[in-house]
Amino acid sequence: MGSAVEQNVRAITVADRLRAQGISRRGFLKFCASTASLMALSPAMVPAIARALENARRPSVIWLSFQECTGCTESLTRSHSPSVESLILEQVSLDYHHTLQAASGEAAELARETAMQENQGKYLLVVDGSIPVKDGGVYSTIAGITNVDMLNEVAAGAAAIIAVGSCAAFGGIGHARPNPTGAMPVSEIVTDKPIVNVSGCPPIPTVITGVLAHFLTFNKLPDLDDLGRPLAFFGQSIHDRCYRRPFYDKGLFAESFDDEGARKGWCLYRLGCKGPATYNACATTKWNQGTSFPIEAGHPCLGCSEPDFWDMGSFYRALSIPTEDTTRTLVYGVGTGAVLGAAAAAVARSRKSKAKAAHYKVSVNDLEEST
Ligand code: SF4
Ligand code: SF4
């Protein structure tokens, strides 16, 4: 990994590698256009992307998996070949990844240490999973090193960090009450490095590779929202782009999963859809190579890309107005699509004005009914 051959491989530009893969100049420009689309950039940026990729070197990536379920890696590996996502992944040097690397034991740890030494200050650190800090961090260790110690060690030499998935970004299920391991997100432990949060449970693979593509092309992280997420993918709510929105605006809601409204594809708001308070690209990028997304399959959005979504009440209870002092629900308080639309706009404004979590909750009425 540290040999002269490896160094030369890393010195080869992205354009060189694509040419070596048999991709013509025309194919390269097409790749640049697809990359622009992947990063949600204007087609006018294609010449600039082509120039940047002509000179871009292959960055070293160290991927640390902590307290997680491997869903984030499973999501990433669903970037089927020969998609732009898979081509982007081939342009980075994935020097350490527990699940994907062939090496194990001491050889694996040596790979991590070598990558760190050879690329001090330049490598990209990707983290999935939360970091347990209770009782000295003993609840999760790798090679005898606690997750928190390994994170601090590797983060120190990183150029930037991508926190992949809601666990690394916001703590996720490990952080949910009662949080027995003291699970924390990356940003609460590392405070002196640029961090981008690619939240979601799991995150959309296109978004992961979109951020990688941005770093590869411009050698910096993309613009972020107030929760550290890439604006290009998290700038609009699921509800903003949902194809069921016309039904919402007309006040046409499914009341159960098998009623006439459900069969007609009406809005899933009353079945607990958190789309109005959830920012992610599912409604546009979709999943499985753009095939579909949960709402298209008939299931409400669970809000998986928002902080503390596990703790925010039942997945199947209707969303409440997101204020600190919630005492009523949109469902029980109002009846027409127009009024709901205004309330959803208030949801969005409130969400954007907060520095941290979206404080949506189930209504007091709902809680009383359930106890
Ligand atoms: S509430 Fe959910 S299903 Fe209804 S329009 Fe919004 S995102 Fe779509
Ligand atoms: S639709 Fe909602 S719950 Fe489903 S993956 Fe997208 S953000 Fe997560």
Side-chain angles (χ1 to χ4, degrees):
M1 194 154 293
S3 68
V5 173
E6 281 286 340
Q7 292 295 310
N8 284 339
V9 166
R10 215 163 277 151
I12 293 170
T13 67
V14 171
D16 292 338
R17 285 181 59 82
L18 289 170
R19 269 194 292 275
Q21 289 170 329
I23 293 175
S24 63
R25 178 73 191 164
R26 187 184 169 85
F28 173 66
L29 290 174
K30 206 171 155 195
F31 172 82
C32 294
S34 303
T35 304
S37 159
L38 192 64
M39 293 188 285
L41 295 176
S42 150
M45 290 294 292
V46 171
I49 291 169
R51 276 195 302 277
L53 288 180
E54 285 282 0
N55 298 312
R57 307 288 166 180
R58 195 178 180 215
S60 168
V61 174
I62 297 178
W63 185 306
L64 301 178
S65 296
F66 293 140
Q67 201 164 237
E68 44 81 39
C69 69
T70 316
C72 298
T73 292
E74 286 286 341
S75 177
L76 185 69
T77 55
R78 294 301 176 269
S79 301
H80 292 291
S81 181
S83 66
V84 182
E85 293 99 305
S86 63
L87 283 173
I88 288 286
L89 283 173
E90 285 169 19
Q91 308 317 317
V92 303
S93 174
L94 193 53
D95 289 331
Y96 183 83
H97 188 301
H98 300 160
T99 313
L100 302 179
Q101 69 196 3
S104 61
E106 288 177 2
E109 290 311 297
L110 184 63
R112 177 175 65 81
E113 286 158 14
T114 305
M116 287 169 58
Q117 280 165 15
E118 291 182 352
N119 302 285
Q120 264 299 316
K122 291 186 284 191
Y123 59 83
L124 201 54
L125 169 59
V126 180
V127 179
D128 68 323
S130 59
I131 301 96
V133 298
K134 196 173 166 190
D135 299 329
V138 296
Y139 298 107
S140 181
T141 62
I142 299 161
I145 305 167
T146 64
N147 291 172
V148 65
D149 283 350
M150 188 177 282
L151 174 63
N152 281 323
E153 182 192 350
V154 182
I161 302 173
I162 304 177
V164 164
S166 289
C167 294
F170 305 132
I173 193 166
H175 185 266
R177 288 189 297 269
N179 191 359
T181 66
M184 293 175 80
V186 174
S187 60
E188 287 189 25
I189 294 171
V190 180
T191 54
D192 59 350
K193 293 284 172 180
I195 299 174
V196 57
N197 289 325
V198 181
S199 59
C201 189
I204 302 173
T206 310
V207 179
I208 303 173
T209 44
V211 172
L212 280 175
H214 197 283
F215 187 81
L216 195 65
T217 309
F218 302 115
N219 203 27
K220 63 175 187 176
L221 296 178
D223 292 339
L224 307 177
D225 73 359
D226 59 354
L227 293 173
R229 302 176 297 193
L231 260 177
F233 300 102
F234 292 87
Q236 289 181 297
S237 70
I238 301 286
H239 184 71
D240 287 336
R241 306 299 298 269
C242 180
Y243 77 104
R244 295 192 191 227
R245 181 65 181 267
F247 295 115
Y248 175 97
D249 290 337
K250 287 180 188 157
L252 295 172
F253 301 99
E255 303 287 347
S256 75
F257 284 103
D258 58 358
D259 68 4
E260 190 189 353
R263 281 192 291 277
K264 287 182 172 169
W266 290 356
C267 172
L268 303 173
Y269 184 88
R270 290 185 177 173
L271 294 175
C273 186
K274 306 298 185 288
T278 302
Y279 288 73
N280 204 346
C282 303
T284 47
T285 304
K286 299 193 179 179
W287 287 81
N288 299 324
Q289 304 290 287
T291 305
S292 183
F293 75 114
I295 290 171
E296 201 169 333
H299 195 281
C301 169
L302 304 178
C304 79
S305 57
E306 295 297 318
D308 300 329
F309 81 102
W310 294 102
D311 286 333
M312 283 186 180
S314 169
F315 291 150
Y316 297 103
R317 289 206 184 94
L319 189 61
S320 306
I321 295 172
T323 65
E324 311 281 358
D325 181 24
T326 300
T327 54
R328 65 193 176 93
T329 69
L330 298 176
V331 168
Y332 297 154
V334 292
T336 70
V339 180
L340 284 169
V347 167
R349 279 197 300 278
S350 173
R351 165 67 188 74
K352 282 180 176 169
S353 71
K354 291 185 190 322
K356 283 289 175 185
H359 297 279
Y360 60 78
K361 300 172 182 173
V362 293
S363 73
V364 170
N365 286 347
D366 284 346
L367 287 175
E368 283 171 353
E369 280 168 16
S370 68
T371 52

